[in-house]
Every structure is written in structure tokens, then in C-alpha cells.
Amino acid sequence: MRLKLAAIPVALALPLSLAGCGSSSSDSGEVADSGTVKVGFLSPAPRNDGGFTQYALVGVQDAVDAGDMELTSIVDNVAESQDQIEGLQTLAANNDVVIADGAVLNKAVAVVAPKYPDTHFVLVASDLDEFAENVSSVTVAVGLDAIVAGAVASMRSKSKKIGMIAGPEVPSSTAWYYGMKQGAALENPDTEVYQAYTNDYNDVGKAKQAAEAMIANGADQILSDLDSGSEGIYQAADAAAGTEVYNVFALHCDENPNIVGSGVVSWADVLKTSTTEAAAGDLPAGAISFGLESGALSFQFCDDKPSAEEKALVEKVTGEISDGTITPEENVLLPKPDYDFEQR
């Protein structure tokens, strides 16, 4: 795979322009000492994926626009591990801060970061196995949102069979499954919860096949932890009357009439905060988790979907998670690393 640095213009779906922010680093590969903090961004997904990567880029750009920073390079759609390592090395040689946007990048960051001790790496949605002085890993406690989503899906389900479909089977995705399982049991202990992984956030065909299989097993409520691959779940739901869909990250009510709501995760806010703090030297090394108190999480309905009973359920479960009445069960939260950890 040939890597393309930031000369590619961002698709119109992204509500800001990153065109023209190609690398301004010197030929020597060293970061120019201009006083402006240079930021590079790498993701295994396309920048206009309509989900995780696109929202992260919005947050990074917001931070850049508000501070003395320059987004010099974007490397996106980098699926192969060796390409990820090479892309991170290129960015690290030419930037003060490198955003590694994706849970699957933890191994590449672990390889590259020790070689560039003066570059601050921000690893998104995953932790390193071991502490690194120049790496901050930022995650969101998505399992808390999933508890609420699972309770709602269980209440709306006629079959008492619900499911979750994700891309790679990584902890940040399995947390959605375990959270939904806990939430469903709160509403009805007999509700069954299925899980499926396509190993690709954007493959529509694989997502459709997974959804069709889940529906064939009786599921009538499906949460999509996918990006553009969600379209495959919508297609399967369109063909199976009574099937309802839930998103993550943001509300997409206008994309399909079967969408009920979303476990909203404001990755844009998380990345804006993380990039700003990293550029200022204020983002601590180690692991940082954003939870309900940070404002990064909430369950939200599409306007015409909820009943009064369902709204009350969301308020009740959210409140009981926040005050500690509901304790997340095993695997709902990402495991805390053995090194420095901060819960926000």
C-alpha cells in the first residue's frame, strides 16, 4: 500500500477544510523550530468515514484552529501494520505531536515511539502494554453508554434478542457487547445478546451478512459499532420488518428510518482536549479514560422514537451509573493498565 501524506483534500462530508495542509517539514526530517507546534495524524480508516476518524479529525482541527499549532500531515486508510509503522515514523520525524487514531495502532506506536523521544504520541482508543514517557493513550468508557443502550434495546425488543456488530474484535468494541449485555439484563434478565465482528469498520457487504445472520437468529435490535459499514446493517434492517438499529459516536437519524438512537461518544471533544493539552505539554504520559463525568458520553434518541417509559429508563440507568448504584461488570470497562492511569 502506498502511503499518501496530506496532499489529499478532505471529502465534503467533513465540516471543515484540511486541504492544503501538506507537510511543511524540512528535507532533513527534523521539526523546524518555528515556535508553532506541528501536529501529524494517522488513521487506519479513511478520513471521511462518517464516524470515528472523521470526528477525531474535527477535534484535532478545532484544537489547531484555537491554538498555535499547524496540522502538517494526514495519513489515512493505512490498514497494514508495516505501513502503519512507516507512516508513524514519517510523521514523528516531522512533527511535535503525532495522533495515532485507532485501537489497532497500539503495536505500531509501541515500536515507533521509543525511536522518537522528543515527539509526543497520542494513542486513541487503546492503551500500550507498557508505559512510555512520550505516549499518552486516551480512551472513552464506551461500555457505560452500552449499558444504557442495552437496557433500551431490551425494552424495545419483541423477541428479547438483541445484538452488536463491530469491526475488529478489540477491547473498545467488545466493551459495547459486554455493556449491552449488562444493560439488557437490568431491563429483562432473559434477553439474549449476540455479538459479531467483521474485522473492517467500512465493509458494507460484511456488515450486511453479519446483520442478516443475526436477524435470522431472531435479533430485532442491532447496535452498529461501525463507520461507513453501518450501511450494510441498514440494508439488512430494511429487508426485515421490525428490525431496529442503534449507532455509536453520533446520531444518524436521517440515514435510515430504522435508527432508534445512539450511544453518543464525543470523540471530537476528546481529541480537541487531548491535542490541546499535548501541544501545551500538559497531557500526562500514561493512560487517560474519559467517562460520564467528562461529558464525553450520553445516550440519545432520534426525536420520534422514544416512549415516555423509555426516556425514563435512560434517565434512571444513566443516573445510577453516575452515582455508583450500577457498577460496571467485567469487560464493560477497558482493563486498567499497570502504569499511570487517570479517570476523567
Side-chain angles (χ1 to χ4, degrees), residues 81-263:
S81 58
Q82 186 57 43
D83 292 329
Q84 291 166 359
I85 290 172
E86 292 175 1
L88 287 174
Q89 289 178 156
T90 300
L91 292 177
N94 294 288
N95 291 281
D96 305 291
V97 175
V98 172
I99 310 297
D101 188 55
V104 297
L105 297 174
N106 59 342
K107 296 187 185 304
V109 170
V111 170
V112 176
K115 301 176 183 178
Y116 298 89
D118 295 331
T119 300
H120 192 148
F121 292 80
V122 180
L123 172 62
V124 184
S126 182
D127 295 326
L128 293 181
D129 292 335
E130 297 180 357
F131 177 80
E133 292 184 354
N134 61 331
V135 179
S136 303
S137 58
V138 295
T139 60
V140 175
V142 295
L144 302 180
D145 248 357
I147 293 174
V148 185
V152 171
S154 177
M155 179 174 280
R156 292 182 68 94
S157 175
K158 293 180 173 60
S159 65
K160 295 304 175 187
K161 294 180 180 180
I162 67 177
M164 186 279 305
I165 298 174
E169 190 173 354
V170 294
S172 57
S173 290
T174 58
W176 282 105
Y177 165 71
Y178 287 106
M180 287 189 71
K181 190 173 181 181
Q182 181 177 355
L186 291 172
E187 195 279 328
N188 187 320
D190 294 327
T191 299
E192 296 182 55
V193 185
Y194 304 134
Q195 60 181 326
Y197 300 91
T198 67
N199 204 38
D200 191 312
Y201 292 112
N202 300 292
D203 192 309
V204 173
K206 288 181 180 178
K208 183 179 180 180
Q209 289 176 354
E212 289 173 339
M214 205 168 275
I215 292 168
N217 284 327
D220 60 1
Q221 311 284 313
I222 300 175
L223 181 139
S224 173
D225 181 19
L226 298 171
D227 295 325
S228 54
S230 293
E231 177 60 31
I233 299 177
Y234 303 156
Q235 292 174 12
D238 286 339
T243 303
E244 297 185 320
V245 182
Y246 302 77
N247 294 120
V248 301
F249 306 138
L251 282 171
H252 295 288
C253 303
D254 58 344
E255 292 186 358
N256 187 271
N258 300 300
I259 297 172
V260 173
S262 177

Side-chain angles (χ1 to χ4, degrees), residues 24-50:
S24 59
S25 57
S26 63
D27 293 338
S28 66
E30 296 181 357
V31 179
D33 185 14
S34 63
T36 298
V37 176
K38 297 184 180 295
V39 180
F41 181 96
L42 183 140
S43 172
R47 67 185 73 184
N48 59 346
D49 61 3

Side-chain angles (χ1 to χ4, degrees), residues 120 136 274 276-285 288 342 344:
H120 192 148
S136 303
S274 301
T276 299
E277 292 185 11
D282 295 332
L283 189 67
I288 303 164
E342 178 185 345
R344 297 190 177 183

